[in-house]
Amino acid sequence: MNLRLDRVPRYIVVGAICAGVYNVTMIAGDWLGVNFVVSTLIAFVLVVSIGYALHCLFTFSEKLSLRGFARYTLGMTTTLPFSLGGIWLLRDAAHLPMWFASPFLTAVMFVWNYLVAHWAVVTRGLARKPEAAP
């Protein structure tokens, strides 16, 4: 995996937008009395859709594709158990307010999300023929 450092500032911008969407959804859902599982699933759909488009167009300068979106969705699905478990642990078990629990969990997941986004958007897949050496 070729991780270029020049993409990190762009990732931070997109990550901040996605984190904002996630945290607003979680905190608003909690305030409205919506179960955290429902809020998490709503946030997931929003963040995956917005995140994929922004990472393709801005972070990694790649074309949008159904295959890339499927990879991105699959990669982001790996965060769901951690997100659900983390919110349960912080909000329900530890009785911390959602305004703390959600942003804290977002910060913890930052690096993992970068690796998954890079893999999903930049990786061309195993089916691609190797390019000839010059």
Side-chain angles (χ1 to χ4, degrees):
M1 192 181 318
N2 180 15
L3 298 175
R4 292 180 22 207
L5 294 179
D6 63 320
R7 294 174 172 161
V8 172
R10 294 190 307 257
Y11 174 79
I12 291 170
V13 170
V14 173
I17 292 168
C18 291
V21 169
Y22 172 80
N23 287 304
V24 165
T25 304
M26 296 301 292
I27 294 166
D30 185 65
W31 183 74
L32 293 169
V34 176
N35 183 283
F36 76 90
V37 174
V38 173
S39 294
T40 299
L41 295 175
I42 292 168
F44 178 80
V45 170
L46 292 171
V47 169
V48 165
S49 302
I50 294 165
Y52 176 71
L54 291 176
H55 282 312
C56 281
L57 301 172
F58 182 67
T59 306
F60 302 111
S61 300
E62 296 284 336
K63 292 182 181 178
L64 297 168
S65 72
L66 287 177
R67 186 178 185 146
F69 183 68
R71 255 194 328 264
Y72 186 77
T73 303
L74 177 65
M76 289 296 118
T77 300
T78 66
T79 66
L80 274 176
F82 186 75
S83 180
L84 289 168
I87 291 295
W88 177 85
L89 181 67
L90 296 170
R91 180 74 175 107
D92 289 2
H95 304 289
L96 295 171
M98 187 62 81
W99 60 261
F100 174 81
S102 183
F104 178 79
L105 190 60
T106 300
V108 170
M109 296 173 57
F110 181 82
V111 173
W112 175 253
N113 286 339
Y114 177 79
L115 295 173
V116 169
H118 185 278
W119 168 78
V121 173
V122 178
T123 300
R124 298 287 187 242
L126 299 175
R128 186 174 181 190
K129 294 179 183 178
E131 296 178 19

